[in-house]
Amino acid sequence: MRSIFPWVLLIGLLTGCKTTQQGFVTVSGGGKVYYEQRGKGKPVILLHGHSLDTRMWNPQWKAFSKTHRVIRLDFRGYGKSSEQTETFQSTHVDDLITLMDSLHIDQAHIVGLSMGAFVAGDMLAMYPERMLSCTLTSGGIRNSPGPSTPMDETEKAKRDQEIAALKQKGIDIYKKEWHEALMSSGGSRRERMRKSLWQMIQDWSAWQPLHKEVRLFYGKEAWERLRQRGKIDTPTLIIRGENEVKNKKGQPAELPYLTNARYEVIPDCGHMLNMERPEEFNQLVLTFIEGLSPY
């Protein structure tokens, strides 16, 4: 792992943080989480999807940092961060809180997509006081067991069977199928993301499908906390791609618990809408964030 060099920090300060600063933060269990930051202003933290890393936010990186201090991280087990283990219980949202504390960030605009939206959803329920706003893209709070419900023997046996089947298939085939699944949800401009999406999936260690993960999301525990709170006034933007909601009825399940929320659908795109339709995505998110408070 490469540590951040002092001269990189100095150059960033002298140029108004127009360069990218890099570093690692120590999280629970001695893990290391890699992060990058750029720009000045109120902080915006970008949370990536499963099998991906900080690079999925390249279409937002410079655009958002013109007016904001933008931070993106690799979750534990992804990108340049340290690997997960099958025995140490941690959650992605608690790693995120540790990162914020380490960077002296009391509150931030949180933007998550897919798995990143699971983490943002956990934060909305468990730590809303740390959020200036929440953007849930292509996902939300998971309906899965949380850390207080460890994997029982039946679930372990099922995972062992799934892992054995995956090893027999071959991880390279699995990655190609996963890539095609993400691509197939897209619309008329999906080819623009094919190469960069595949590069991230190809570089991914694929540790998660080959191991029994601990409960990395609060999931059902987050839903219970949300119900206990009754209503949350955290400004929230929920975004979906049109292709993912065509055959689904109703609105996102989080909406009844939010007093200050908007739900938007971007036409002609699918799951990875920030990469497929970055112009529309950037305008939607930045307009939402900048409309909350003046600089």
Side-chain angles (χ1 to χ4, degrees), residues 89-107:
Q89 176 60 58
S90 63
T91 66
H92 289 316
V93 73
D94 287 304
D95 284 351
L96 174 57
I97 294 296
T98 299
L99 173 66
M100 291 176 65
D101 290 343
S102 299
L103 297 180
H104 308 291
I105 298 172
D106 293 328
Q107 292 181 308

Side-chain angles (χ1 to χ4, degrees), residues 71-83:
I71 299 101
R72 57 183 178 180
L73 67 147
D74 288 334
F75 287 119
R76 192 188 308 225
Y78 298 87
K80 298 178 183 178
S81 294
S82 58
E83 286 287 8

Side-chain angles (χ1 to χ4, degrees), residues 117-131:
F118 301 160
V119 181
D122 275 355
M123 193 170 183
L124 185 63
M126 310 300 286
Y127 305 105
E129 70 280 359
R130 301 301 299 268
M131 309 178 93

Side-chain angles (χ1 to χ4, degrees), residues 63-75:
F64 283 28
S65 65
K66 290 178 181 178
T67 51
H68 299 82
R69 176 189 178 189
V70 185
I71 299 101
R72 57 183 178 180
L73 67 147
D74 288 334
F75 287 119

